[in-house]
Amino acid sequence: MILNLDGLLVQMRHMLWDEDGLIWGPQQLEECVRLGLARLQSVCPIKLSLEGLDDAAITILEDGMSVLLLRMALLHAWHLREQGRSETFHPDPATGKDNQDWLRGEGQALEQEVEHLRQFYLQRSLQVPYGCWPDRPPSVLDCNQECE
């Protein structure tokens, strides 16, 4: 369970095998967390926050979002590593290709999970996801509050 930014960064460093911070700096990892949280916020109707990130005092994440946030932040960190070191020119070409395949696959899996999350919130929303069309009479539309 992720309670704050420091806990998430410790977990990230452990999973990245960089506990001393020799590969990824604290600002880089913080930016990766920020990008992951922004992606989750793009589909979530409530205001998300992580204690310690951008002066947030409390952590507000829905159930299961902490794992998604961790995976997204790790994916962003590995993308930074790939860009910085140009992993395509790995001394062992098969390993370099495996890294790229994993990054691509993990990115696609995360996008599918975010899409499922978006659909979950969309289906349970009390507001219709569209506005009234001005060229149609309000009786045709079923959006009571939006049309008035």
Side-chain angles (χ1 to χ4, degrees):
M1 183 83 164
I2 298 171
L3 301 176
N4 58 27
L5 178 63
D6 292 334
L8 180 63
L9 292 178
V10 167
Q11 203 169 7
M12 284 180 67
R13 287 198 182 285
H14 177 71
M15 293 181 83
L16 292 169
W17 302 293
D18 185 35
E19 291 165 355
D20 296 330
L22 299 175
I23 299 172
W24 289 274
Q27 293 84 10
Q28 286 178 316
L29 291 183
E30 201 170 301
E31 186 60 27
C32 293
V33 172
R34 191 173 287 115
L35 290 170
L37 192 62
R39 181 66 181 113
L40 287 174
Q41 186 64 68
S42 71
V43 299
C44 184
I46 63 168
K47 178 69 175 143
L48 302 175
S49 65
L50 182 65
E51 180 186 344
L53 183 68
D54 299 329
D55 300 326
I58 60 172
T59 297
I60 301 173
L61 294 173
E62 292 281 312
D63 291 337
M65 278 191 186
S66 59
V67 174
L68 279 176
L69 177 60
L70 176 63
R71 287 177 59 198
M72 286 181 181
L74 289 170
L75 185 69
H76 286 298
W78 279 111
H79 275 297
L80 285 175
R81 177 82 168 151
E82 181 183 33
Q83 290 171 354
R85 292 191 58 214
S86 189
E87 294 288 345
T88 55
F89 301 106
H90 196 279
D92 179 10
T95 303
K97 184 172 180 342
D98 289 345
N99 291 343
Q100 287 181 342
D101 291 343
W102 178 84
L103 282 173
R104 191 176 307 109
E106 180 69 1
Q108 290 171 351
L110 281 171
E111 280 305 312
Q112 286 177 347
E113 290 190 40
V114 169
E115 178 59 20
H116 290 303
L117 195 61
R118 185 189 72 79
Q119 290 174 1
F120 170 81
Y121 286 119
L122 189 62
Q123 291 170 353
R124 284 152 185 81
S125 175
L126 297 177
Q127 299 174 343
V128 294
Y130 48 82
C132 294
W133 296 359
D135 59 340
R136 300 207 181 199
S139 60
V140 172
L141 299 174
D142 186 23
C143 54
N144 300 336
Q145 294 137 356
E146 296 284 328
C147 294
E148 296 175 9

